[in-house]
Amino acid sequence: MKLTGVIGQRRALSQLQGELEAQRLAHAYMFVGPGGVGRATTAQALFAAMNCAEPTPEGPCGHCGPCHRLAAGTHEDFLVVAPPSQARSSQIKVEAVREAIRATGFAPFGGGKRLILIKQAGHLNPASANALLKTLEEPPPNNILVLTVSDAKELLPTLVSRCRKVNFLPLTAEEIAAELVRRGQDETDARLKSGLAGGSLGRALEMDTEALRRDLARLIDQLGAGGQALEDWGFAEELVGAHRGSGGIDREGISQALDLLALYFRDAAVSAAGRDGLTWLPGRPASLDIESACRAFARVRRAQGQILGNAAPELALVVLLAGLKEAPTHA
Ligand SMILES: [Zn+2]
């Protein structure tokens, strides 16, 4: 039975499909890879392949009872455990794990297989990891556990050793752009987002293109504004202020705004080289020689590193702007 509905990830899919066809699926899997690349979707595809009532040669039918309930998120044998929020400190509580484990005490309701998906398993606290340990060791028949992590190091070695590993890779920009267009998004926006998404469809789907364009336009304007350090400082404070919330400064958010500027200089380099492959940023990239464009790109990346580290973001921005203005980086 084919696994369907997953973008890219040919290797992970062929591993799982091979194991499914040979009836050699493991009782527990660890899906390792960055967020938003299809780990949870693959767990769903695996569940559908195991439980569809009217499978076709192309894969699950998509319209039988089990397929319907899975798509609606109401299938009683597809259980999802996840941290309560996106915050880094958010932990998967032991009660949530115990509740899922209790379900394995009964045969699957649909008469097929049950799949328990533990998302962001790196957020298991010691108590919840412990609660999971015994089930991972000898899960009752017809139950499969899937843990998603971005790195195996997030899990205790005792958990890792009980799971079979499947690796997931970042998606290509082309795969992401094609999927966004398939979902009805404008092609220019799709190209822009796919260039910024770092291989994660999930991240691309969350992006607000209007806000991104606004951020870029402001940065470019500021670059063209001449060399007044005082104005640059005001601009930097304003930009940082726009990314300040109750939880402090959103360094990721500022870095994302700079991603766009990096992309702008990347486009300038590509255009100077006379090559195809522009990312469809608004307006034309600055007309620079390749060396200047690459140097500017590197400056932006360096500033991002400082901002994501512990540098004062205003200072990193002012230094970046001064550096970019000093070199002939803006036409
Ligand atoms: Zn079906």
Side-chain angles (χ1 to χ4, degrees):
M1 162 80 80
K2 272 192 183 153
L3 301 185
T4 56
V6 181
I7 301 153
Q9 309 302 353
R10 220 172 291 159
R11 234 169 137 177
L13 292 178
S14 99
Q15 176 186 342
L16 287 168
Q17 210 159 295
E19 292 172 6
L20 178 65
E21 277 161 14
Q23 302 195 335
R24 298 185 60 175
L25 285 175
H27 301 299
Y29 283 95
M30 178 171 63
F31 286 2
V32 185
V37 302
R39 297 166 307 172
T41 309
T42 301
Q44 282 208 18
L46 181 62
F47 181 86
M50 294 187 298
N51 288 286
C52 172
E54 297 165 40
T56 74
E58 283 76 47
C61 70
H63 54 68
C64 68
C67 282
H68 257 305
R69 294 205 297 285
L70 177 66
T74 57
H75 200 298
E76 57 285 352
D77 294 325
F78 186 80
L79 306 181
V80 181
V81 178
S85 85
Q86 287 296 315
R88 272 184 207 171
S89 57
S90 181
Q91 297 184 342
I92 298 177
K93 300 273 160 50
V94 66
E95 292 77 30
V97 173
R98 287 209 183 109
E99 196 185 321
I101 290 173
R102 257 198 304 279
T104 66
F106 306 91
F109 295 103
K113 304 268 188 195
R114 179 186 288 115
L115 191 148
I116 299 176
L117 172 63
I118 303 187
K119 286 174 140 183
Q120 295 176 272
H123 291 243
L124 289 163
N125 63 28
S128 44
N130 248 326
L132 193 61
L133 205 54
K134 204 163 158 274
T135 308
L136 273 183
E137 215 161 309
E138 334 164 34
N142 297 321
N143 285 281
I144 290 182
L145 279 97
V146 175
L147 282 63
T148 70
V149 287
S150 38
D151 191 315
K153 287 194 210 93
E154 293 170 16
L155 290 182
L156 293 171
T158 45
L159 293 182
V160 173
S161 65
R162 286 164 176 80
C163 297
R164 192 179 292 166
K165 192 173 168 190
V166 183
N167 286 316
F168 287 74
L169 303 172
L171 300 173
T172 65
E174 288 72 26
E175 285 168 340
I176 293 175
E179 177 60 16
L180 293 176
V181 169
R182 198 187 66 79
R183 293 184 185 211
Q185 298 202 14
D186 172 76
E187 186 167 345
T188 309
D189 277 4
R191 290 287 294 269
L192 175 59
K193 289 180 184 175
S194 67
L196 290 170
S200 165
L201 175 65
R203 203 171 156 198
L205 287 169
E206 282 169 9
M207 277 177 194
D208 173 354
T209 327
E210 280 313 304
L212 288 173
R213 286 172 196 279
R214 253 194 328 267
D215 277 345
L216 180 66
R218 289 172 61 201
L219 279 159
I220 303 285
D221 272 358
Q222 192 62 26
L223 278 182
Q228 285 104 359
L230 202 61
E231 282 175 20
D232 283 352
W233 186 263
F235 171 80
E237 279 188 324
E238 201 182 306
L239 192 86
V240 174
H243 292 277
R244 188 177 279 125
S246 54
I249 296 170
D250 172 18
R251 290 174 181 267
E252 294 270 355
I254 301 170
S255 172
Q256 227 172 58
L258 291 184
D259 266 343
L260 216 54
L261 192 61
L263 204 61
Y264 175 82
F265 287 121
R266 195 205 76 108
D267 272 7
V270 167
S271 142
R275 293 213 326 262
D276 206 19
L278 293 180
T279 41
W280 302 86
L281 284 176
R284 286 171 54 77
S287 51
L288 298 171
D289 59 80
I290 296 180
E291 204 184 312
S292 310
C294 290
R295 205 178 309 128
F297 179 86
R299 278 184 198 276
V300 178
R301 286 293 187 232
R302 199 177 317 135
Q304 286 180 295
Q306 289 162 348
I307 289 168
L308 289 172
N310 263 331
E314 294 89 346
L315 192 60
L317 282 170
V318 169
V319 171
L320 172 65
L321 287 169
L324 290 175
K325 286 177 178 182
E326 176 193 286
T329 50
H330 190 67

